[in-house]
Amino acid sequence: MKDIKLHDKTFEVYIPETEISAIIHSLATSINNSGIQNPLFIAVLNGSFLFAADLMRKITIPNAEISFIKLASYQGTESTGTVNELIGLNQDLKNRNIIILEDIIDTGNTLEKIIELFQNKGLATFKTATLLYKPKAYKKDIPIDFIGKSISNDFVVGYGLDYEEIGRNLPHIYKLKN
Ligand code: IMP
Ligand code: MG
């Protein structure tokens, strides 16, 4: 498969679409067999839009729901530093079994912020599913419940993941070519 160029960088195929689909099939099977009831999946935009769409088609748990959020970070006052906010969360989360859907977990900073923002909302259970995980970059102790594939520390694009906002439409996942 051909290399591609995005902005100033060249990328080579790393996880072809056939493998992505096998990974998603196996993730869906794990979630379906986990015993979680009436789940509310919450996909973190923008990166997880294709993953969420493909995974949901393989979920067979009755009464499964899906919603989408975006994590916005902005500079607060000097004393508060960076402020994080969840955009798009309208549902009542009380007593819900939440499964977060992430495209990739790298350092874990984003996941940690999401967890903070979900605290005190009276959830029944909270689980995380990610398509890709970079174990060598992960700096947190938070357990990740469902992992599609653990990858090296390379920068990847495609299938929802971007390099400075482009490349999300690529059907395969590519990595930076050295
Ligand atoms: P973390 O907070 O370091 O775990 O990284 C989370 C976010 O960084 C992800 O949701 C992605 O948007 C972005 N990210 C991390 N690694 C990559 C990558 O290899 N390619 C594209 N985006 C990435
Ligand atoms: Mg990004």
Side-chain angles (χ1 to χ4, degrees):
M1 275 173 272
K2 273 199 298 197
D3 291 352
I4 49 135
K5 194 154 190 257
L6 298 174
H7 297 302
D8 56 329
K9 297 196 186 333
T10 306
F11 293 84
E12 60 191 353
V13 173
Y14 181 40
I15 312 174
E17 66 178 332
T18 48
E19 188 184 341
I20 298 173
S21 138
I23 293 168
I24 290 175
H25 185 85
S26 129
L27 258 181
T29 304
S30 305
I31 296 171
N32 288 333
N33 294 335
S34 67
I36 299 173
Q37 293 183 336
N38 307 328
L40 170 54
F41 289 89
I42 295 185
V44 184
L45 294 173
N46 293 330
S48 68
F49 77 110
L50 290 179
F51 170 48
D54 287 340
L55 181 83
M56 285 309 282
R57 279 180 268 200
K58 301 224 163 351
I59 294 297
T60 52
I61 308 171
N63 312 316
E65 294 177 37
I66 184 161
S67 188
F68 299 85
I69 57 168
K70 234 177 152 154
L71 189 67
S73 302
Y74 57 94
Q75 289 303 118
T77 64
E78 271 172 51
S79 57
T80 54
T82 308
V83 179
N84 297 295
E85 192 188 17
L86 286 178
I87 300 174
L89 202 59
N90 310 312
Q91 284 96 333
D92 184 5
L93 301 178
K94 217 167 162 29
N95 301 319
R96 297 305 310 262
N97 296 315
I98 303 298
I99 305 177
I100 294 290
L101 299 181
E102 269 281 25
D103 50 348
I104 188 164
I105 297 178
D106 188 344
T107 62
N109 289 335
T110 308
L111 179 62
E112 187 178 68
K113 283 171 193 163
I114 288 170
I115 288 174
E116 266 170 37
L117 293 162
F118 274 81
Q119 258 156 24
N120 310 317
K121 294 197 191 288
L123 312 185
T125 62
F126 183 93
K127 304 264 185 217
T128 305
T130 187
L131 177 63
L132 301 175
Y133 170 55
K134 293 184 183 172
K136 291 205 182 89
Y138 194 61
K139 292 187 305 216
K140 309 291 172 188
D141 298 321
I142 309 157
I144 303 165
D145 305 280
F146 304 99
I147 294 171
K149 186 180 171 83
S150 293
I151 63 167
S152 55
N153 254 350
D154 299 282
F155 186 78
V156 292
V157 292
Y159 194 71
L161 291 148
D162 71 300
Y163 168 46
E164 291 177 2
E165 294 307 327
I166 62 172
R168 295 191 196 275
N169 53 307
L170 297 165
H172 314 294
I173 292 170
Y174 292 75
K175 73 172 179 182
L176 192 58
K177 196 170 175 176
N178 295 308

